[in-house]
Amino acid sequence: MYLAHKRMPQRTDRELVDAAREGDAEAFGTFVRRHQKRIYRLAAHMLRDAAEAEDVTQDAFVRAYRALDRFDGRSEPFTWLYRIAVNLSLNTIRSRKTRRTGPSVDDPRVEGAMVETRVTIGNPAELTSDRQVARMLAEGLDSLSETLRVTLILVTVDGLSHGEAAEILGCPEGTVAWRVHEARKKLQTFLEKR
């Protein structure tokens, strides 16, 4: 007799967090794998430093795991995790002794922007030009206030809705919309001057 093998439906984030809260470490591992790249990308854009972004990413998941019993379910688990990562990133920025004047030579944002370019373009002159544009964009992001930069990263880089960003940042959706508009306007002005 032939038995059709059915795939188990993929568990939602909420189901994974609930299972992890009940002691299922594998469920939390799945949650980590599902969101690790996004949390790292968020931290890299906020911190402009690959090593710090890795530390914040790891710390965000450790803190989330330790706080599983305090997750009240009023927000989505990924929103809760993002809020933890944003707060850790902001704390890291505030704790720096000296401020950076621009992106480092190995800025993870520039390298991230170059990944697809390397696959599709083989011309070294075009790669150099694309790298300069990516650096200019990173510098433009750095010129924004912390509030505008974080909001713009959440919405345009990570692709969150205004509602999701508002929940993470603890502000109204209208404020998020204004911040995104203002950040884009300032970024455009910055780039036009270059």
Side-chain angles (χ1 to χ4, degrees), residues 15-25 68:
E15 290 169 336
L16 291 171
V17 167
D18 288 344
R21 194 179 307 167
E22 298 296 320
D24 183 348
L68 281 172

Side-chain angles (χ1 to χ4, degrees), residues 1 34 44-45 51 72 78-79 86 93 106 111-113 117-118 140 144 164 167 178 180 187:
M1 180 173 167
R34 185 176 290 172
H45 274 278
D72 59 16
F78 97 95
T79 305
V86 166
I93 290 167
D106 62 342
E111 293 310 309
T117 305
R118 284 189 192 117
L144 299 173
E164 292 167 329
E167 192 172 340
W178 178 85
V180 169
L187 190 55

Side-chain angles (χ1 to χ4, degrees), residues 10-52:
Q10 189 175 27
R11 294 196 283 182
T12 66
D13 285 348
R14 194 171 295 275
E15 290 169 336
L16 291 171
V17 167
D18 288 344
R21 194 179 307 167
E22 298 296 320
D24 183 348
E26 188 177 315
F28 193 75
T30 301
F31 181 71
V32 169
R33 286 187 297 280
R34 185 176 290 172
H35 295 290
Q36 193 168 19
K37 287 180 183 176
R38 288 181 76 186
I39 295 299
Y40 173 80
R41 184 176 62 224
L42 168 71
H45 274 278
M46 289 183 67
L47 299 169
R48 306 176 300 270
D49 182 280
E52 286 180 338

Side-chain angles (χ1 to χ4, degrees), residues 70-178:
R70 294 192 309 271
F71 176 67
D72 59 16
R74 286 184 291 174
S75 64
E76 286 299 314
F78 97 95
T79 305
W80 169 66
L81 179 63
Y82 263 61
R83 191 176 308 124
I84 292 170
V86 166
N87 288 337
L88 286 171
S89 296
L90 292 173
N91 289 343
T92 300
I93 290 167
R94 290 178 188 127
S95 70
R96 289 179 179 154
K97 302 253 188 291
T98 57
R99 301 295 288 178
R100 296 202 170 131
T101 56
S104 65
V105 174
D106 62 342
D107 188 331
R109 299 171 300 172
V110 173
E111 293 310 309
M114 298 304 296
V115 168
E116 284 205 25
T117 305
R118 284 189 192 117
V119 173
T120 59
I121 300 174
N123 183 332
E126 288 180 23
L127 281 173
T128 300
S129 175
D130 288 346
R131 186 178 302 277
Q132 288 171 341
V133 169
R135 275 212 170 85
M136 214 179 315
L137 282 170
E139 287 174 18
L141 277 172
D142 293 346
S143 74
L144 299 173
S145 70
E146 192 174 275
T147 304
L148 293 180
R149 185 167 44 88
V150 170
T151 306
L152 189 65
I153 289 167
L154 290 174
V155 173
T156 61
V157 175
D158 266 353
L160 300 181
S161 70
H162 287 187
E164 292 167 329
E167 192 172 340
I168 290 166
L169 298 171
C171 65
E173 274 187 59
T175 301
V176 169
W178 178 85

